[in-house]
Amino acid sequence: MLGVGLGLAGCLSQTHWASEQSLVGASEAPATTRSELERRRSEGLAATSPDSEALGDYLVYLWQFDWEHRAYLDRVDAGESPKLPESLSGYDRATYTREALDAWASVRPASLPSSGDRLTLARMDFRATLLERGCLDSKPAFGPLLVLRAELLEPPSVVLELAMLATECAEAPEDVLEDACVTAAGLIQGMPEPEYDDLDGDMWPDPSLRVRFAESCGPQMAEEDKAIVASFWSGAEPWFAEHHPEEHRAWREEQARLAELARQREEARRQAQAEADAAAAAAAAAAPSSSGGSASAGSSRVTVNLYNNCPNTVKLFFGDNPGFSSGTSTSLSSNTSTNYYMDAGDLMWITEGGKGVSSYSASSNVSLQITSSCTGFAPR
């Protein structure tokens, strides 16, 4: 399947979008500094084009600075007189916000730019909206980013913008993404359904923008969009078989081979688990009933149910360190789930190119998912 996957919501719900530390409140040490704010302010306000990284970076940093000091700033706006930290000395929220928005307005193109520049325009519009108008108005502003991301052949990341929006709204990323997907779906409503054309020479028919967009929203898809995606792929394989019969036959044989390997691996896992359970039961039966001491053999065995929410097959490694220690390698296909039986403390890794991308340490029976970004684990 040619799903494009947003790679957005999985591991951000409890993670700071910039520092990769837990989200901090105003009473904790902020990640921003006044000196860095002023440096970026100087560079950003000197920007002369809408694709200027300096202006875009300043909008992000100014929003973060404002958010980290919001408890103080809201009290100032309410007419109270809190004792301000030194970092807020001379800082006026309205002035800094207005000059940043004016800078963007002065360079924003009056007409719609080429497709390559529309993402920059949508990204900057979203950041400006978030800075000026907060959560509710920013959810619709995130919608065009989703459509553009589905439209481009090499989808860029919008994880930063999603994390900012989730933080501003004090909601889980998957929740704000669901709202944004509804808005974005309205932008492409009424688009023609896909035609089965072999436009890129890969033998599978190309999905339309509407299909790619629906797939990119993943679990947030509306029922109508799910039906559109299902309809496309139910017709895609017969089209493939009709137009490229030899290649389709080879593809089907490969799919059957992979399915058989998966079945064999699952059977081996079940057998190993059954043997472990039997050994644990035997050890428990043999242990003195009054011991009350250490746990019986096998008591640390846990089950990890893992679902792959990534649009691609993900490679996994069970062991201490991928590439540097012995262990077991396997893979999990997109939109599938399976149980892995591990000992407490064992590590499970997502790998890419033989290197570890993210790890999970088993501790108890749990249901997890590989995030849609294909790079992390999250509760399911």
Side-chain angles (χ1 to χ4, degrees), residues 300-307 318 337-346 348 360-370 377-380:
S300 63
R301 196 72 168 171
V302 300
T303 301
V304 177
N305 178 265
L306 184 64
Y307 169 74
F318 295 84
S337 63
T338 190
N339 289 332
Y340 296 104
Y341 305 102
M342 307 169 65
D343 289 329
D346 284 354
M348 173 171 56
Y360 172 79
S361 178
S363 59
S364 60
N365 295 336
V366 68
S367 291
L368 297 177
Q369 64 175 323
I370 297 173
F377 299 96
R380 187 182 180 204

Side-chain angles (χ1 to χ4, degrees), residues 37-55:
L37 177 71
E38 296 302 331
R39 185 189 71 79
R40 297 195 186 206
R41 180 190 186 197
S42 177
E43 293 182 358
L45 298 185
T48 58
S49 63
D51 62 349
S52 169
E53 291 186 7
L55 180 55

